[in-house]
Amino acid sequence: MSVIPLQNKKVEPLLSVRDLKMHFPVKEGIFMRTGKFNKAVDGVSFDIAPGETLGLVGESGCGKSTLGRCIARLYQPTAGEISFEGQDIAKLGRKPLMPFRRDIQMIFQDPMESLNSRHTVGQILEEPFQVHNIGNRESRQKRVKELLDLVGLPARSVTRYPFEFSGGQRQRIGIARSIALNPKLIICDEPVSALDVSIQSQILNLLIDLQKEFNLSYLFIAHDLAVVKHISDRIAIMYLGKIVESGVGESIYRTARHPYTQSLISAIPVPDPHHVAHRQILVGDVPSPINPPSGCNFHTRCPQAMEVCKQVVPHLSDEAQPVSCLLYDASKP
Amino acid sequence: MSDVILSVKNLVTEFSTDEGRVRAVDDVSFDIKAGETLGIVGESGCGKSVTALSIMRLLPQPIGQIMGGEILLQGENLVDMSIEQMQRVRGARIGMVFQEPMTALNPVHTIGRQLTEVILLHKKISKEKALKEGIAMLDKVGIPAPDIRMTEYPHQLSGGMRQRVVIAMALACQPSLLIADEPTTALDVTIQAQILELIKELQKEMGMSVLLITHDLGVIAETSASVVVMYAGKVAERGSVYEIFDSPTHPYTRGLLESIPRLDTEPKSKLTIIPGMVPGLLDMPKGCRFENRCRYRKDSCLLAPPAAETISEGHEVACYEWRELKTSVGGGGDSANFKLSAVA
């Protein structure tokens, strides 16, 4: 099994995920028997270094959000390893997991849904400290003010409710909450997708600033490749529960090798009327992860599919820019 | 000008809310030529969707009202039309595609029933013939096995397929204008590419004009010949797609173009931002509506809203300072000459 290598091999990874699988049972028939599984994440391995951003890109239903939630341990993965600073947290129970919950935080796509609308911003930001029993009332409130300042909100926001804020400001509250306990890793699940263009850049700048200041690691999940490339050191492309290609942002864009990556990049509309698009338009839709195609699961939409792709399952290659495609696999016929 | 399909002149649309009347669209004007695609770009709340709903006369009743201006479809003023007259325009002369195909389709009727409904409503033909036309239309929008799809329900189709059905419905009666309000926003980028390509092909084939409403500057650059940039209910700038992207003049247009991360920007570099946010419709500034976020603001900007001024034939901007801006910094679009070597 090949692992997406770190850029700097000497650094100890903060997070290493090995062969992670998340299969959701699908209940069928009148007896609700589990006949099939939705293989949302099906054997994913990667490392994240301290202070690094790994961008995770893919279309809806590819399993990128599920993967993020497994690492934040909102889900109990079916199989595989999630090593955080050397300790496997994939199977830890509620209690032993508590210290890791401080270190791994999450930012969600829709801040209106992820913030309790009946709590004031002060209550929302104080809650992490109460859960983990940190400090007294006074020190907590002082810290809440610091947090608001860090994300660029006025101190008087403390007594306000989430509905009184705009989308971008709400996302700032979500970010303040995620950094409250000085985490090491933040899972950002589509943090700017719901925001307007001019607000998006404000939030991206904030995330980049906070990363530099606190040496945070990000797993940045998004479908917008331009956004992901801007914020990421390395990028991994996911399709139907598997990583199909990965590498440094720049090289993914300039020398994409997997036909899916190439199509994905070519599909992005470029904001330049002089740009001539060389589109590789993919036919059809993403197949169901309950009943994925045989062999390479991309062969049904692949413009370069060969006969062998229907039978042989490709694996990520052992290279600086690993790719999971039989076109580049010399050992296969 | 006979080749203008739709001409919107000084359109004003207001909503009455509990807190008072708000002007969602304020003095908006533009023309769409035959066979042309016009893009309206702007952020949420800028009035782009309300403009589309005003043209279709589909404003939420009774709170939404057109307070002034003209909407001329091939010379006829839609604002003065009765409900019955409008019903003969919608679907037949103007087709509309919405953002979320699941809400645009009726979940309890088959695709076939919904598609033939449009055809039967506007054409005097038999049910069998309408069914045949419907199947032909589904085939045209690239739906495989169209005769089987006709008997299926919306939930049995994927998002991309549903949007194709909505496009088939919108175009079933060969309208001269298609209004597409964020038609690809709910779709994945590979599906978005399919749908945009489809709209382009059908436009070429049927010769219709398209009014495309989106927040995505990439989609605009790729599809539109002319562009209207809207901000807080007003037109900030309009011109050809080259004028808007190569020499953006309004500070808002510039800000937008500079703030989007591009494939060729340095990773983790600071993005240019437009500080602050759009003012609420109830507390609009008295002067220029962009005044509180503008880095070129002068005291004179606070007094009265700027009128649209012509920079060159067809290129208009609503900014007091445009002459200064024109000569100062180059446009934000110049840095975008990046070619994707990976896919060449």
Side-chain angles (χ1 to χ4, degrees), chain A residues 59-60 166 196-198 202 205 209 211 229-231 233 253-254 262 269 271-272 274 279 282 284-285, chain B residues 43-44 158 188 190 192 194 222 246 260 262-263 268-271 274 276-277 293 336 338 341-343:
Chain A
E59 296 180 279
S60 35
S166 68
D196 268 320
V197 185
S198 73
Q202 294 178 2
N205 279 353
D209 286 346
Q211 176 167 53
K229 178 175 174 266
H230 185 78
I231 199 167
D233 297 293
Y253 279 91
R254 302 211 181 261
Q262 291 172 357
D272 173 14
H274 301 283
R279 280 277 148 78
L282 288 180
D285 297 301
Chain B
E43 300 178 281
S44 31
S158 68
D188 276 316
T190 61
Q192 164 170 286
Q194 291 175 3
E222 219 152 80
D246 293 345
I260 41 173
R262 293 168 192 263
L263 295 181
K268 296 201 182 184
S269 60
K270 267 250 188 271
L271 291 166
I274 303 176
M277 52 188 174
R293 305 176 76 187
F338 170 64
S341 56
V343 289

Side-chain angles (χ1 to χ4, degrees), chain A residues 314-329:
Chain A
H315 293 283
L316 269 179
S317 57
D318 252 326
E319 296 162 274
Q321 189 176 325
V323 60
S324 167
C325 179
L326 296 176
L327 285 173
Y328 306 98
D329 196 336

Side-chain angles (χ1 to χ4, degrees), chain A residues 16-320:
Chain A
S16 20
V17 172
R18 292 292 175 274
D19 206 21
L20 190 71
K21 287 180 182 166
M22 183 73 229
H23 295 179
F24 294 102
V26 179
K27 309 257 186 230
E28 280 180 321
I30 44 170
F31 299 113
M32 297 302 277
R33 246 179 271 179
T34 303
K36 292 170 184 159
F37 288 91
N38 179 345
K39 298 177 179 176
V41 177
D42 199 20
V44 167
S45 306
F46 61 84
D47 288 340
I48 298 181
E52 186 197 35
T53 305
L54 177 70
L56 196 58
V57 185
E59 296 180 279
S60 35
C62 75
K64 56 191 193 299
S65 287
T66 305
L67 176 58
R69 282 159 183 256
C70 283
I71 292 164
R73 279 302 313 275
L74 299 177
Y75 293 145
Q76 164 89 54
T78 315
E81 224 176 85
I82 304 169
S83 301
F84 188 81
E85 294 187 313
Q87 193 183 342
D88 186 6
I89 60 164
K91 289 177 189 68
L92 287 187
R94 217 181 76 88
K95 269 243 165 82
L97 205 54
M98 275 306 264
F100 293 100
R101 294 229 181 267
R102 286 179 63 171
D103 288 337
I104 307 175
Q105 289 287 330
M106 199 149 177
I107 302 170
F108 298 91
Q109 170 171 2
D110 188 341
M112 200 58 210
E113 275 174 32
S114 57
L115 301 175
N116 190 333
S117 54
R118 287 164 180 271
H119 284 183
T120 61
V121 170
Q123 286 170 313
I124 289 169
L125 294 182
E126 219 185 307
E127 199 176 3
F129 301 102
Q130 291 164 342
V131 170
H132 290 275
N133 248 325
I134 299 167
N136 53 27
R137 212 176 143 65
E138 210 174 309
S139 67
R140 285 170 189 168
Q141 282 174 349
K142 198 173 145 241
R143 176 78 179 133
V144 166
K145 293 238 163 74
E146 279 172 25
L147 287 170
L148 284 172
D149 189 50
L150 272 172
V151 298
L153 287 174
R156 60 170 191 278
S157 312
V158 170
T159 54
R160 302 258 176 102
Y161 290 88
F163 77 89
E164 296 177 75
F165 294 87
S166 68
Q169 289 174 321
R170 272 183 225 135
Q171 197 56 290
R172 286 175 194 267
I173 301 169
I175 292 170
R177 178 177 61 181
S178 74
I179 58 168
L181 299 171
N182 294 320
K184 293 174 179 146
L185 172 70
I186 300 182
I187 317 281
C188 311
D189 190 359
E190 303 264 14
V192 296
S193 321
L195 305 175
D196 268 320
V197 185
S198 73
I199 306 299
Q200 219 176 51
S201 50
Q202 294 178 2
I203 297 295
L204 287 174
N205 279 353
L206 175 65
L207 286 171
I208 292 167
D209 286 346
L210 291 172
Q211 176 167 53
K212 278 182 195 145
E213 195 167 340
F214 301 109
N215 198 32
L216 294 167
S217 300
Y218 291 144
L219 176 66
F220 193 94
I221 302 167
H223 66 276
D224 185 331
L225 279 129
V227 167
V228 170
K229 178 175 174 266
H230 185 78
I231 199 167
S232 306
D233 297 293
R234 288 179 304 138
I235 296 177
I237 315 282
M238 243 179 126
Y239 187 78
L240 271 185
K242 290 181 174 158
I243 290 175
V244 297
E245 184 164 8
S246 153
V248 179
E250 202 62 25
S251 64
I252 285 276
Y253 279 91
R254 302 211 181 261
T255 55
R257 297 201 294 160
H258 197 283
Y260 179 64
T261 317
Q262 291 172 357
S263 310
L264 205 59
I265 293 171
S266 79
I268 310 170
V270 179
D272 173 14
H274 301 283
H275 173 81
V276 186
H278 300 280
R279 280 277 148 78
Q280 275 181 18
I281 292 189
L282 288 180
V283 288
D285 297 301
V286 184
S288 161
I290 298 172
N291 199 3
S294 62
C296 169
N297 57 23
F298 184 58
H299 84 255
T300 52
R301 300 175 78 197
C302 183
Q304 298 179 62
M306 306 173 286
E307 210 36 51
V308 59
C309 300
K310 291 180 190 165
Q311 285 110 37
V312 181
V313 180
H315 293 283
L316 269 179
S317 57
D318 252 326
E319 296 162 274

